[in-house]
Amino acid sequence: MVTIAAPDGFPLEVQVSGRTDGPTLLLLPGQANSHRWWDGLRTHFDPHLRVVTFDYRGTGGSRGPVGAWTTASFAADAAAVLAQLGIEQTHVYGTSMGGRVAQRLALDHADRVDRLVLACTSPGGRHAVERSLTVRRALLDPSRDARLAVLQRLFFTEAWPRSAEGDRLFGDPTLSPEETRAHLRVSAKHDAWDDLPRIGAPTLVLHGTDDEMVPAENAPRLAERIPHARLELVDRGRHGFFLEFADVVDPLILDFLR
């Protein structure tokens, strides 16, 4: 791990693994999560690529004043990380909120993005299909145990037992309430719909068919809006399909990146 300074001086903790030569893959995690989101998956990519992650502001080792963060500002942080590592261009794989950050990275820093993978994410704004009121209410349960049970159901099928590996997707437990609220605003304010046709990077859109957290209807909307995007749906997959069905998803991604 190494800590770099963003242009405004905010410290960003960065992790690099995998190959020392060849193409790079930047992994972008979901909302209110650090690089630990990828703990069960990065070793799948390490033999093939140089793998880069960084902790979003307010997570992991990237701590400082809470500001008016957005997917665009997180994308700017990603571009700063790449620049300081001397990486001119990278493949990008973003999941959930990370997929929204990836959209802004491909739009605002297009020269940095080679190929783009967007999983279990949405365009944001009025064209996004939002989770149901029932799901929203369930996520507001004040009981931590009840909320974790809801997240387990939303992320994984009954065939995937509760585990530390899966629990890592449920949020960085070190976030303060202020940092958590800031991350909620990052996702809520995202709206890339009008800009999506400007994405020039070859794009793969992935989604689980049974995702209630970010409904699967968002996937074809993204794929139709981004020029020449390819769409792949994973049967029975929920919001954590990219982990539970990694034996299906990761070969699709590696083949696409080749």
Side-chain angles (χ1 to χ4, degrees):
M1 295 186 186
V2 62
T3 299
I4 69 166
D8 64 354
F10 197 103
L12 300 172
E13 190 165 282
V14 180
Q15 307 79 29
V16 182
S17 61
R19 298 179 59 127
T20 56
D21 61 341
T24 299
L25 174 63
L26 174 67
L27 300 174
L28 295 170
Q31 174 186 299
N33 278 275
S34 71
H35 73 282
R36 298 297 305 277
W37 173 277
W38 297 106
D39 280 2
L41 291 168
R42 73 184 302 147
T43 55
H44 298 190
F45 299 106
D46 281 344
H48 310 280
L49 300 150
R50 183 186 186 192
V51 179
V52 175
T53 53
F54 74 98
D55 293 340
Y56 293 134
R57 298 183 189 220
T59 74
S62 300
R63 303 316 252 273
V66 174
W69 303 332
T70 64
T71 51
S73 71
F74 281 2
D77 285 344
V81 166
L82 296 172
Q84 293 204 37
L85 292 177
I87 298 169
E88 293 185 3
Q89 195 173 57
T90 182
H91 302 311
V92 179
Y93 174 20
T95 48
S96 198
M97 188 189 80
R100 299 180 183 102
V101 175
Q103 293 165 39
R104 290 273 33 127
L105 185 61
L107 288 162
D108 302 341
H109 310 272
D111 57 327
R112 293 281 183 193
V113 179
D114 187 349
R115 286 178 171 256
L116 180 65
V117 181
L118 304 174
C120 52
T121 193
S122 82
R126 63 187 180 88
H127 294 282
V129 179
E130 299 297 339
R131 65 191 62 148
S132 70
L133 183 59
T134 300
V135 170
R136 287 185 221 173
R137 285 175 174 163
L139 289 170
L140 291 174
D141 195 303
S143 164
R144 181 177 182 275
D145 288 343
R147 187 171 181 275
L148 288 175
V150 170
L151 287 170
Q152 175 70 21
R153 179 183 64 78
L154 290 172
F155 273 73
F156 304 111
T157 70
E158 289 75 12
W160 183 272
R162 182 86 183 272
S163 66
E165 185 179 30
D167 282 7
R168 276 193 287 269
L169 302 188
F170 300 162
D172 179 347
T174 69
L175 265 70
S176 70
E178 185 183 15
E179 289 167 333
T180 299
R181 288 192 295 270
H183 270 254
L184 285 168
R185 289 192 294 269
V186 170
S187 279
K189 291 182 177 180
H190 177 74
D191 184 357
W193 183 262
D194 289 343
D195 295 330
L196 290 175
R198 293 197 292 105
I199 291 180
T203 302
L204 172 63
V205 177
L206 299 166
H207 221 110
T209 58
D210 296 350
D211 191 345
E212 294 181 76
M213 194 82 161
V214 178
E217 291 88 344
N218 286 289
R221 294 190 181 199
L222 281 170
E224 290 165 11
R225 193 72 174 158
I226 299 171
H228 313 298
R230 172 181 154 195
L231 173 63
E232 295 282 352
L233 299 176
V234 177
D235 189 44
R236 298 183 299 111
R238 299 183 184 181
H239 199 56
F241 82 101
F242 56 93
L243 177 60
E244 181 174 359
F245 296 94
D247 58 334
V248 173
V249 173
D250 291 350
L252 281 173
I253 292 171
L254 287 168
D255 181 66
F256 174 72
L257 298 183
R258 291 190 187 102

